[in-house]
Amino acid sequence: MNDLNRPIGIFDSGFGGLTVMRALVDQLPNEDFIYLGDTARQPYGPRPIAQVREFALQGLDHLASMDVKALVIACNSASSAVLRDARERYSVPITEVILPAARRAAAATRSGRVGVVCTESTARSNSYDDAFAINTDIELLTRPCPRFVEFVESGITGGDELLDVAREYLDPLSEAEIDTLILGCTHYPLLSGVINYVMGHGVTLVSSAEAAAQAAFAMLTRRGLVHEGPREATRTFLTTGDPTDFQGIGERLLGEFVTDVARVKID
């Protein structure tokens, strides 16, 4: 198959990466996409880094076997665990979510005080600390927010319980007077309303999903892998879990964007 006509593969531990795919489809409407969510083994956040690495490489191997022209690691935990290995393992260009978000936050901050909310696995990996290592004038404050994923996948994006949890997680960042906050899990943009409400309009929210999508667009454009004109594009959704559950949650979060989900085995 011609390189231009090959699909773009997107991997995530579950549903959060759909926010990356949604942003990519908006920017690249003429491209074919294959999305693989490892929902049978989610969440990755509480798992040891070595196990996240094992699972993520299995998923990426599956996508690579489908002759994709690029890979997008749409999961902060997986990006933390496998990015270096992935770039050595696969011949196609790869985009992840951490470095693009860090670059955008570095450009956005005025005070140099940046916060990141993320999963426990991403926090333990120190990936964002490494991403900001060259920016010695930036102070990074990291807060794991594991329950945010539970709320998103239950379809809860507002209400008193979520607001109480958000305040518990975010108040220390407000007290530290950050002016920029990275949503360091691709589930979290779906909670941007409550996060913005708690943090206030003076804090700039940086979506790792949006940043990753823009980075992927730039990478594909530089390599001449973007269709210039309109065409009938395809979107394929794969899950290691239950396809009906995946489609139901996907539709609840993103409307009718997610359709015709199929189950695959990758371990």
Side-chain angles (χ1 to χ4, degrees), residues 70-131:
L71 286 167
V72 179
I73 308 174
C75 171
N76 282 260
S77 297
S79 294
S80 300
V82 303
L83 181 58
R84 183 175 299 176
D85 294 315
R87 285 184 169 152
E88 294 175 355
R89 191 180 185 98
Y90 308 112
S91 59
V92 297
I94 296 170
T95 302
E96 45 81 43
V97 290
I98 292 172
L99 286 175
R103 292 191 192 103
R104 181 176 292 190
T109 184
R110 303 173 302 281
S111 67
R113 298 179 68 80
V114 175
V116 57
V117 287
C118 58
T119 66
E120 294 163 308
S121 178
T122 299
R124 287 194 304 270
S125 74
N126 293 318
S127 295
Y128 277 99
D129 298 83
D130 293 342

Side-chain angles (χ1 to χ4, degrees), residues 10-15 18 34-42 62-63 66 236-249 258-266:
I10 303 173
F11 176 75
D12 185 62
S13 60
F15 306 96
L18 291 171
I34 302 173
Y35 181 97
L36 172 56
D38 189 11
T39 54
R41 301 184 292 192
Q42 69 166 347
H62 187 87
L63 286 170
M66 299 181 75
T236 301
F237 296 93
L238 307 175
T239 178
T240 58
D242 183 273
T244 302
D245 288 347
F246 187 99
Q247 184 160 332
I249 293 174
V258 179
T259 58
D260 300 324
V261 182
R263 185 173 188 173
V264 295
K265 186 175 181 179
I266 64 173

Side-chain angles (χ1 to χ4, degrees):
M1 186 187 297
N2 183 295
D3 281 353
L4 191 63
N5 292 326
R6 290 154 61 192
I8 298 166
I10 303 173
F11 176 75
D12 185 62
S13 60
F15 306 96
L18 291 171
T19 59
V20 178
M21 185 170 174
R22 173 77 269 181
L24 277 167
V25 169
D26 287 344
Q27 295 177 43
L28 297 165
N30 301 313
E31 302 300 324
D32 298 332
F33 290 94
I34 302 173
Y35 181 97
L36 172 56
D38 189 11
T39 54
R41 301 184 292 192
Q42 69 166 347
Y44 281 9
R47 294 184 181 275
I49 290 291
Q51 191 174 53
V52 173
R53 177 184 179 276
E54 176 188 0
F55 290 174
L57 288 175
Q58 289 171 354
L60 292 167
D61 282 350
H62 187 87
L63 286 170
S65 74
M66 299 181 75
D67 197 30
V68 296
K69 65 181 176 184
L71 286 167
V72 179
I73 308 174
C75 171
N76 282 260
S77 297
S79 294
S80 300
V82 303
L83 181 58
R84 183 175 299 176
D85 294 315
R87 285 184 169 152
E88 294 175 355
R89 191 180 185 98
Y90 308 112
S91 59
V92 297
I94 296 170
T95 302
E96 45 81 43
V97 290
I98 292 172
L99 286 175
R103 292 191 192 103
R104 181 176 292 190
T109 184
R110 303 173 302 281
S111 67
R113 298 179 68 80
V114 175
V116 57
V117 287
C118 58
T119 66
E120 294 163 308
S121 178
T122 299
R124 287 194 304 270
S125 74
N126 293 318
S127 295
Y128 277 99
D129 298 83
D130 293 342
F132 281 103
I134 61 172
N135 299 96
T136 56
D137 56 338
I138 289 180
E139 179 182 358
L140 184 68
L141 297 93
T142 301
R143 289 283 290 173
C145 304
R147 291 198 62 196
F148 277 172
V149 172
E150 299 172 18
F151 282 105
V152 168
E153 295 193 354
S154 297
I156 300 170
T157 57
D160 291 341
E161 184 182 3
L162 173 58
L163 189 57
D164 288 343
V165 170
R167 284 176 172 144
E168 178 184 346
Y169 287 151
L170 301 174
D171 281 353
L173 296 174
S174 294
E175 292 166 6
E177 298 181 344
I178 66 166
D179 73 349
T180 303
L181 179 64
I182 298 172
L183 307 184
C185 173
T186 49
H187 285 73
Y188 296 178
L190 295 164
L191 299 179
S192 58
V194 70
I195 293 172
N196 182 72
Y197 179 79
V198 172
M199 296 302 299
H201 296 300
V203 175
T204 300
L205 302 186
V206 173
S207 165
S208 60
E210 289 286 344
Q214 291 184 356
F217 178 94
M219 173 192 69
L220 291 164
T221 299
R222 286 194 299 269
R223 292 173 180 254
L225 293 174
V226 175
H227 286 280
E228 295 182 1
R231 61 186 289 272
E232 186 174 346
T234 63
R235 302 172 197 164
T236 301
F237 296 93
L238 307 175
T239 178
T240 58
D242 183 273
T244 302
D245 288 347
F246 187 99
Q247 184 160 332
I249 293 174
E251 289 178 350
R252 187 159 67 238
L253 297 176
L254 295 172
E256 296 182 357
F257 178 75
V258 179
T259 58
D260 300 324
V261 182
R263 185 173 188 173
V264 295
K265 186 175 181 179
I266 64 173
D267 51 343

